[in-house]
């Protein structure tokens, strides 16, 4: 047995399962099957991004008509997805080190909270294709994104940013703890290292302030 039912899929066990999956696919899938699967994934990704464009067209027409602003939004979404993909390919143990909540913070700073949350949810849905234990990951990130939008008001005030990051980190810790207890039924083998990753993720989120200044210069927003 490689992994028990209901056990969290991460680390070495995730790599073993991915290796078995790749071996199985190499034996069963033909080139035609592979092309169809890639086509299906492309449809789903395109559908998710289309929803964002339709949202802009219906509710943020001024942004939709501005190519620089649309490019800025999609650039940040793709940057978050690329960073997460690199971390997953390197070591899934560091997955929660990626500061996903930087995205809604940036978009809220330049546009508004509603667009920031919508783009964050679309991004998390896309990341669900590549991360292990996708439901848990998506739940954590969406809840953290909601907290991000609800808590911070004036991002340029550093005190507000620190308070918001502290609340985001706390939500991560509480939600992960709840999921772990649900999976294991106890806290005997609780992985404290993951909590440290959440704290480091919160510290990395503080980088959003210099990032905003840099974007103002690059995109002229």
């Amino acid at each position: 047995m490689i992994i028990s039912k209901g056990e969290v899929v991460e680390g070495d066990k995730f790599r073993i399962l991915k290796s078995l999956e790749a071996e199985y696919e190499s034996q069963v899938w033909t080139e035609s099957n592979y092309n169809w699967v890639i086509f299906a994934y492309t449809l789903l990704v395109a559908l998710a991004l289309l929803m964002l464009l339709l949202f802009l067209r219906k509710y943020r027409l001024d942004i939709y008509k501005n190519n620089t602003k649309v490019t800025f939004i999609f650039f940040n979404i793709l940057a978050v997805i690329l960073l997460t993909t690199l971390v997953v390919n390197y070591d899934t143990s560091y997955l929660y080190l990626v500061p996903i909540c930087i995205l809604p913070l940036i978009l809220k700073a330049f546009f508004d909270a509603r667009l920031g949350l919508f783009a964050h949810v679309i991004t998390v849905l896309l990341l669900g294709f590549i991360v292990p234990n996708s439901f848990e990951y998506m739940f954590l990130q969406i809840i953290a994104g909601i907290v991000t939008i609800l808590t911070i008001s004036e991002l340029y005030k550093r005190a507000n940013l620190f308070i918001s990051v502290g609340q985001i980190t706390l939500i991560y810790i509480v939600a992960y703890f709840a999921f772990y207890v649900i999976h294991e039924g106890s806290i005997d083998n609780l992985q404290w290292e993951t909590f440290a990753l959440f704290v480091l993720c919160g510290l990395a989120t503080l980088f959003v302030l210099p990032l905003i200044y840099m974007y103002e210069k690059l995109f002229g927003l």
Side-chain angles (χ1 to χ4, degrees):
M1 183 177 66
I2 299 173
I3 192 165
S4 303
K5 183 178 180 180
E7 186 177 349
V8 178
V9 182
E10 58 185 1
D12 292 335
K13 292 183 178 181
F14 175 70
R15 284 190 288 272
I16 293 171
L17 290 174
K18 291 299 290 184
S19 177
L20 287 174
E21 181 186 32
E23 180 64 23
Y24 174 78
E25 290 172 353
S26 66
Q27 296 176 5
V28 178
W29 286 12
T30 64
E31 184 177 351
S32 176
N33 294 137
Y34 180 79
N35 291 336
W36 273 111
V37 170
I38 294 298
F39 174 71
Y41 272 119
T42 303
L43 277 180
L44 291 176
V45 172
L47 185 63
L49 296 178
L50 177 62
M51 294 302 104
L52 180 56
L53 279 176
L54 291 177
F55 173 84
L56 293 175
R57 189 175 186 275
K58 186 172 179 62
Y59 297 106
R60 301 292 184 273
L61 190 59
D62 57 324
I63 299 176
Y64 178 79
K65 292 182 177 180
N66 190 314
N67 290 335
T68 301
K69 292 181 178 180
V70 174
T71 302
F72 174 77
I73 294 170
F74 279 88
F75 170 78
N76 281 281
I77 291 174
L78 294 177
V80 169
I81 293 174
L82 178 61
L83 179 59
T84 306
T85 303
L86 291 174
V87 171
V88 169
N89 290 335
Y90 175 72
D91 191 342
T92 55
S93 302
Y94 299 116
L95 176 62
Y96 290 115
L97 190 59
V98 181
I100 302 296
C101 288
I102 278 184
L103 178 64
L105 283 174
I106 289 175
L107 295 183
K108 182 179 180 181
F110 284 103
F111 305 111
D112 60 84
R114 191 176 180 185
L115 174 57
L117 182 59
F118 195 91
H120 177 72
V121 172
I122 292 294
T123 305
V124 172
L125 288 176
L126 294 176
L127 290 175
F129 290 122
I130 61 175
V131 299
N133 208 12
S134 57
F135 174 76
E136 177 183 323
Y137 178 85
M138 291 167 62
F139 184 90
L140 286 175
Q141 299 298 350
I142 290 176
I143 290 296
I146 293 173
V147 170
T148 301
I149 294 298
L150 292 177
T151 56
I152 195 163
S153 54
E154 296 178 334
L155 186 61
Y156 291 97
K157 293 183 178 180
R158 294 183 181 179
N160 290 346
L161 181 59
F162 275 97
I163 292 172
S164 180
V165 167
Q167 292 172 332
I168 293 168
T169 304
L170 180 62
I171 288 297
Y172 274 135
I173 291 174
V174 171
Y176 180 81
F177 175 81
F179 269 112
Y180 188 88
V181 172
I182 290 172
H183 289 311
E184 301 296 329
S186 70
I187 59 172
D188 295 337
N189 299 313
L190 192 61
Q191 298 176 345
W192 298 102
E193 298 84 358
T194 306
F195 294 150
L197 290 178
F198 289 138
V199 174
L200 292 175
C201 176
L203 294 175
T205 305
L206 295 174
F207 184 67
V208 68
L209 211 52
L211 196 61
I212 287 174
Y213 291 129
M214 185 179 70
Y215 278 154
E216 287 178 340
K217 302 296 183 182
L218 289 176
F219 289 88
L221 297 174

